[in-house]
Amino acid sequence: KAGVTQTPRYLIKTRGQQVTLSCSPISGHRSVSWYQQTPGQGLQFLFEYFSETQRNKGNFPGRFSGRQFSNSRSEMNVSTLELGDSALYLCASSLGFGTGYNEQFFGPGTRLTVL
Amino acid sequence: DAKTTQPNSMESNEEEPVHLPCNHSTISGTDYIHWYRQLPSQGPEYVIHGLTSNVNNRMASLAIAEDRKSSTLILHRATLRDAAVYYCILRNAGNMLTFGGGTRLMVKP
C-alpha cells in the first residue's frame, strides 16, 4: 500500500506570493492533518480535515487555509507569504476521526523556502 | 492543552535497553499518551500509545504510572536505526497532536 504522498517536495517562493501544497492520504484513510515544522517552533498543528470538513484548527493566521476533496485528498494554501513561513509542511493521514483512530501516518513533507 | 516534559537528549549504547521518560502532570482522564519518533529527514512515525495500562508492540513498550502523571517509553534493545527525536504527546480529541520539544536519542555503537 502506498504511503502518504506530498507534492511538491521542494518549493521556492518570494514574499507576497501564495502557494498551494497537496497531500494524498493512504488509500482508505479519510482524515488528513497538516503540520508546520520549523527549527524555532518545532512541530505545530495547522488543521485537520475529515469528510471534507475542517474538524480542528491550530493557532495560525487566516493566511493559512486548507480543504479536503471527496476522494480525501487535501490541499493547503498560504497566501501573502512571509519569510517566517519557510518551513517543512507535513501531512498526516488516519483512517478516521476520533480517539479510536490512533495511528497517524506522516508523509515526507514539502520544504517551502520563502525569499 | 495539557503539556508534556521530556529531557532534551539522551544517550544509549547499541544493544542495550533505553528508557525515555515523560512527565505529564496535568493529564486529564480522557487524554491518551502517544509516542512518535522522527528519524533524520523523515516525517514523524507512530511508535505506541496507551491510556492507563502498560502496552507492548513490536517496536517498544509503554509503561504508564498508576497516577498517569508520567510514562516511560522502553526500547528493549537499541539499534543505530533507533537514533531519532522521540515525542511524548497527549491526545484527547480528533487527531490533533500537540508536539513538544521531544528527546533526541543518540545511540553509540
Side-chain angles (χ1 to χ4, degrees):
Chain A
K1 195 185 258 192
V4 177
T5 57
Q6 293 187 245
T7 55
R9 292 292 312 280
Y10 301 92
L11 205 48
I12 299 176
K13 293 283 189 179
T14 56
R15 276 181 298 174
Q17 288 187 308
Q18 76 163 14
V19 67
T20 299
L21 311 181
S22 181
C23 172
S24 291
I26 291 171
S27 177
H29 284 198
R30 297 170 60 203
S31 172
V32 172
S33 300
W34 288 89
Y35 295 83
Q36 181 197 64
Q37 185 170 30
T38 61
Q41 299 297 318
L43 272 154
Q44 293 185 283
F45 172 80
L46 279 156
F47 26 64
E48 175 187 8
Y49 287 86
F50 174 73
S51 290
E52 302 176 66
T53 303
Q54 188 179 90
R55 302 294 176 142
N56 277 309
K57 188 176 189 310
N59 190 24
F60 278 81
R63 298 185 297 107
F64 292 81
S65 63
R67 59 177 176 167
Q68 186 180 34
F69 302 95
S70 58
N71 62 358
S72 296
R73 192 177 69 83
S74 177
E75 289 181 347
M76 68 162 281
N77 184 275
V78 188
S79 62
T80 321
L81 283 166
E82 300 176 0
L83 295 178
D85 297 333
S86 294
L88 180 67
Y89 290 88
L90 291 156
C91 166
S93 78
S94 179
L95 275 170
F97 175 79
T99 53
Y101 300 93
N102 293 296
E103 188 172 352
Q104 288 192 55
F105 296 83
F106 283 79
T110 294
R111 172 76 60 189
L112 171 66
T113 302
V114 182
L115 302 176
Chain B
D1 289 336
K3 298 255 191 280
T4 62
T5 304
Q6 300 176 253
N8 288 335
S9 63
M10 290 184 65
E11 226 175 59
S12 169
N13 293 317
E14 199 177 9
E15 305 288 316
E16 291 185 356
V18 182
H19 290 231
L20 298 165
C22 180
N23 285 317
H24 29 78
S25 57
T26 58
I27 191 171
S28 76
T30 55
D31 284 336
Y32 282 77
I33 301 159
H34 286 244
W35 284 81
Y36 279 75
R37 71 180 186 180
Q38 188 171 22
L39 279 65
S41 303
Q42 294 187 27
E45 173 188 34
Y46 168 85
V47 177
I48 200 168
H49 79 279
L51 183 62
T52 56
S53 306
N54 295 344
V55 186
N56 300 297
N57 67 19
R58 62 173 180 81
M59 286 182 72
S61 295
L62 177 60
I64 301 172
E66 207 167 314
D67 63 5
R68 302 210 322 128
K69 292 184 186 300
S70 66
S71 60
T72 302
L73 178 71
I74 302 164
L75 306 179
H76 296 286
R77 286 178 66 214
T79 69
L80 297 179
R81 277 205 69 246
D82 291 322
V85 178
Y86 286 79
Y87 296 97
C88 169
I89 299 160
L90 300 182
R91 179 186 156 213
N92 63 2
N95 289 320
M96 183 175 80
L97 299 176
T98 302
F99 288 84
T103 296
R104 182 172 299 279
L105 175 65
M106 293 167 280
V107 180
K108 296 184 292 183

